[in-house]
Amino acid sequence: MFGSPASHNGCGEGRDGRYYETPPVVVGEPSPGDAKLARKSKKKIGEILIEQGSATQDKIVAAVLESKDFGKRVGEVLVEQGACTEEQVARALAEQFGVEFVDLAKPEASTKIDRSLLKTDLQKKYTMLPMRREKNTLLLLVHDPIDVDALDTIGITAGKTDIGGIASRTQLAEYISGGSAGPDLNSQLVTSSIDKSRDSSRDSSKDSSRDASRDSSLDSDAGAGANESGIVRLVDRFIVEAVQGRASDIHVEPRKGEVILRYRIDGVCTVRDRIPKKMQNPLLARLKLMAGVNISERRIPQDGRIKMTIDGTVVDFRVSACPAVHGESVVLRILRPDSARLGLEKLGFQRDNLDAFNRIIRRPNGIFLVTGPTGSGKTTTLYSALNDLNTPDRKIITAEDPVEYAFKGINQVQVRESIGLTFSAILKSMLRQAPNIILVGEIRDREVADIAIQAALTGHMVFSTLHTNDAPSAITRLIDMGVKPFLVASSIQAVMGQRLVRILCEKCKQPDDAPDRKVLRLVGINEEELANGTLMKPVGCAGCSGTGYRGRRAIFELMTMNSEIRDLAFNRSSISKLRNAAIRGGMRSLVEDGKIKILRGDTTASEIANFAQIEGFDPSEISQG
């Protein structure tokens, strides 16, 4: 959260943990950043934190020692160690520099920000917000008051700048990515002609630095279609923006006269930009080059991967290019390394389902299936289970297409059908590796299903996914593939169906005093449950980009096999009979699991009715909060 250290001998905390209190030597008129550093308090940040009661002397000493060893800021180390919060360090920095601390989580904070005073791309790049102008000086809300290079670079286009306040980096990043009501919120990546001419004159200035030139208008370079650096910056910028904005996918879709850029956030696609058609070819070529695929091949689908470091975290992107009428459609699936390590508790399990899930995955043998449509979180659930089971006393092997997340201590194999390395070939080899646990990315055909069942019956625990609408349908699907019913009945331990639903934003959700009774009836909420529950509705704020929802959680139905269900499977019974038996055996349906989250105020009835695919529900009839 503290940016890069000052590159001169001015006041500020050095990488070695010392505090330089001599004002910088200034030739001519001091820069705004140098002037601010010269007014810095003589107190060290550690002393201020102790006075505020935010940290102890021992923690400060330990942080100073570590900062010397690893070249980090003392405040940065304190946050990493959990000794302080980002907000506490930001408050201390504000006192140290004699400026205002701004808590962006409070509604009144928006009155201190005027985003029209600074271009959005500069706000995002430097994680700063414009506050106001005083005597021709633009006052900025920053997280790192010592990053004078950023202030000077912004000053090239925005005029004289100074520090007006300090906030935590996380709050700044969330506020910027979430947006505000400022007129610059919906500005396109391709800037106006006024911005182009300003940026062009800045680029020709003898004082413009390399960093400054990188902030020039994207379209002034990329719009020409021939300037490679403009396309590089455009692609880098929208990838970083998508990751910081919690997107799961980036869609680049050529249309008749333009290229549409869309982000999928919390399962919903939103249009981010409309890029000129003349940029289509260099844009697609850049994405394909980054993904390592043939840029001259436009007739067949291609798959690739991109790996980038964003905000200090390595992020993988799975790239798919597919020929279309107006040009290749490219989709980047963002694979966040932390999403597979959330922990089972944060996936959305109710306590009884979580306890049953933990018992099942720790059984010595059998098959555990997770079902649901594409994008329902099946892989994340299985990876979270493997993360819990990944101990030195267990050998785990996976066969995946593709390998989405890399785990230490797990043997992961990538399917490559072009050379004969298929699911079935990998599974046959796995059985000779004596694993405890096997993960098969997906059971697609009878051959893979037969080998998985053979592995389960010979003492291995097998995890896999299946594309069915609910848990009971997995039984009939396997039998329809040609697997013998007695093998299905004897090998499967449990089947779990799941969906992802959006969770209401904690900052802006409000009690719903007039819920839609029709939707409540569809999800089975009666008047008594309504009276005892707490229904909430989406409102919309900067933190959730005005949608009223922020983040997603899963709803589950966990069908544990018992003697009745095994008999029904053996006799090829219908899905309805299997479902009724599963409910008698304790399975809570997707809708019932969703009801708990509705009555607890976590989500809305329309979300559950939509994603649980309740018959008779029409999403178009529901007003969007």
Side-chain angles (χ1 to χ4, degrees), residues 165-177:
I166 293 176
S168 75
R169 188 187 190 286
T170 297
Q171 285 190 351
L172 277 166
E174 289 181 352
Y175 192 98
I176 293 169
S177 64

Side-chain angles (χ1 to χ4, degrees), residues 302-560:
Q302 296 186 86
D303 295 317
R305 294 184 81 106
I306 297 172
K307 182 174 288 188
M308 292 178 64
T309 300
I310 299 175
D311 294 337
T313 302
V314 177
V315 181
D316 279 336
F317 301 83
R318 194 173 78 201
V319 183
S320 172
C322 182
V325 173
H326 300 295
E328 289 175 287
S329 172
V330 178
V331 177
L332 286 74
R333 167 67 61 89
I334 302 172
L335 306 175
R336 303 173 188 277
D338 294 337
S339 65
R341 298 174 175 86
L342 283 173
L344 295 171
E345 293 81 2
K346 296 182 180 180
L347 295 179
F349 281 107
Q350 303 302 324
R351 174 50 58 182
D352 56 345
N353 272 348
L354 179 59
D355 291 342
F357 182 84
N358 278 318
R359 287 194 301 270
I360 292 164
I361 64 175
R362 285 168 173 77
R363 291 180 181 176
N365 62 279
I367 295 180
F368 177 68
L369 294 174
V370 181
T371 72
T374 300
S376 59
K378 302 185 298 295
T379 301
T380 298
T381 298
L382 287 179
Y383 272 134
S384 297
L386 288 188
N387 195 46
D388 275 13
L389 297 172
N390 186 17
T391 56
D393 60 317
R394 292 188 178 99
K395 177 161 185 174
I396 303 174
I397 304 180
T398 73
E400 305 170 65
D401 184 20
V403 173
E404 294 193 358
Y405 304 101
F407 281 87
K408 291 182 179 179
I410 295 180
N411 302 281
Q412 296 175 268
V413 185
Q414 168 79 51
V415 171
R416 296 178 62 190
E417 295 190 356
S418 60
I419 62 171
L421 192 61
T422 61
F423 273 119
S424 57
I426 295 170
L427 277 171
K428 290 174 183 176
S429 177
M430 280 182 178
L431 297 181
R432 295 190 288 270
Q433 295 279 315
N436 299 102
I437 297 170
I438 295 172
L439 169 66
V440 183
E442 180 186 347
I443 295 180
R444 298 177 178 176
D445 52 42
R446 178 180 174 178
E447 185 178 12
V448 175
D450 283 338
I451 300 171
I453 288 173
Q454 179 187 347
L457 295 176
T458 54
H460 306 85
M461 189 66 194
V462 180
F463 295 150
S464 191
T465 68
L466 204 59
H467 286 285
T468 62
N469 286 329
D470 56 15
S473 297
I475 303 294
T476 57
R477 174 69 185 279
L478 289 172
I479 294 173
D480 288 342
M481 281 184 183
V483 181
K484 292 181 173 59
F486 78 90
L487 291 176
V488 174
S490 58
S491 61
I492 291 180
Q493 297 290 338
V495 183
M496 186 169 74
Q498 68 176 70
R499 298 287 191 281
L500 290 177
V501 297
R502 293 183 295 172
I503 296 299
L504 289 167
C505 175
E506 291 293 336
K507 294 181 180 179
C508 65
K509 68 180 182 181
Q510 294 180 1
D512 190 355
D513 298 326
D516 190 315
R517 302 286 173 163
K518 178 183 177 182
V519 181
L520 292 180
R521 286 195 299 272
L522 284 173
V523 297
I525 296 178
N526 57 39
E527 293 298 327
E528 182 181 352
E529 291 171 326
L530 183 61
N532 294 328
T534 305
L535 266 63
M536 307 294 283
K537 65 181 179 180
V539 177
C541 66
C544 60
S545 301
T547 64
Y549 297 91
R550 185 176 175 87
R552 289 191 293 174
R553 291 290 182 271
I555 53 175
F556 301 98
E557 57 179 21
L558 181 57
M559 181 182 78
T560 304

Side-chain angles (χ1 to χ4, degrees), residues 25-288:
V25 177
V26 179
V27 179
E29 183 179 354
S31 71
D34 290 338
K36 178 56 65 178
L37 290 175
R39 298 196 299 272
K40 178 187 171 187
S41 166
K42 291 183 179 296
K43 282 186 179 181
K44 299 178 180 179
I45 190 172
E47 296 173 357
I48 298 173
L49 287 167
I50 292 173
E51 290 177 0
Q52 291 178 349
S54 301
T56 63
Q57 180 73 38
D58 292 342
K59 294 288 187 181
I60 297 295
V61 172
V64 170
L65 293 175
E66 184 170 330
S67 71
K68 293 179 180 179
D69 292 338
F70 296 98
K72 296 182 178 181
R73 305 282 181 87
V74 172
E76 185 179 359
V77 174
L78 287 167
V79 173
E80 289 177 354
Q81 293 178 342
C84 292
T85 64
E86 279 191 73
E87 286 71 26
Q88 289 171 332
V89 173
R91 285 182 186 277
L93 284 171
E95 180 177 336
Q96 189 182 34
F97 281 81
V99 295
E100 177 185 9
F101 168 76
V102 178
D103 186 353
L104 290 173
K106 295 183 177 180
E108 59 268 22
S110 61
T111 62
K112 302 177 181 181
I113 307 299
D114 184 356
R115 296 191 67 179
S116 65
L117 297 175
L118 185 66
K119 290 167 58 177
T120 303
D121 56 347
L122 293 178
Q123 297 175 30
K124 291 176 179 177
K125 177 171 182 177
Y126 296 107
T127 321
M128 295 182 179
L129 284 169
M131 298 179 71
R132 61 187 180 278
R133 284 196 179 274
E134 287 186 1
K135 299 179 180 179
N136 297 322
T137 298
L138 176 62
L139 299 183
L140 295 166
L141 183 63
V142 306
H143 64 90
D144 184 2
I146 305 170
D147 191 1
V148 294
D149 289 340
L151 291 173
D152 292 342
T153 302
I154 290 175
I156 293 173
T157 53
K160 188 177 179 182
T161 60
D162 205 345
I163 300 172
I166 293 176
S168 75
R169 188 187 190 286
T170 297
Q171 285 190 351
L172 277 166
E174 289 181 352
Y175 192 98
I176 293 169
S177 64
S180 72
D184 206 27
L185 170 60
N186 293 316
S187 64
Q188 296 181 345
L189 293 176
V190 183
T191 56
S192 67
S193 58
I194 296 175
D195 287 333
K196 293 180 196 175
S197 60
R198 182 189 298 132
D199 291 333
S200 176
S201 64
R202 184 196 66 188
D203 286 343
S204 62
S205 171
K206 64 180 180 179
D207 295 326
S208 65
S209 64
R210 180 172 180 269
D211 281 342
S213 66
R214 289 168 67 184
D215 281 327
S216 61
S217 168
L218 291 171
D219 200 27
S220 62
D221 292 313
N227 192 321
E228 181 181 351
S229 63
I231 289 294
V232 170
R233 291 199 302 275
L234 171 63
V235 172
D236 288 350
R237 191 166 299 176
F238 73 63
I239 287 177
V240 170
E241 180 185 65
V243 172
Q244 292 176 341
R246 303 182 300 106
S248 60
D249 303 273
I250 303 170
H251 298 260
V252 180
E253 302 169 337
R255 303 286 174 86
K256 186 175 181 180
E258 61 188 357
V259 179
I260 303 296
L261 174 66
R262 299 197 294 171
Y263 299 155
R264 186 182 297 276
I265 301 174
D266 293 336
V268 178
C269 275
T270 57
V271 175
R272 171 59 181 91
D273 211 345
R274 300 178 185 275
I275 301 171
K277 189 71 173 178
K278 61 185 177 182
M279 297 170 63
Q280 175 176 314
N281 288 339
L283 173 61
L284 297 180
R286 173 60 183 169
L287 289 169
K288 292 168 70 175

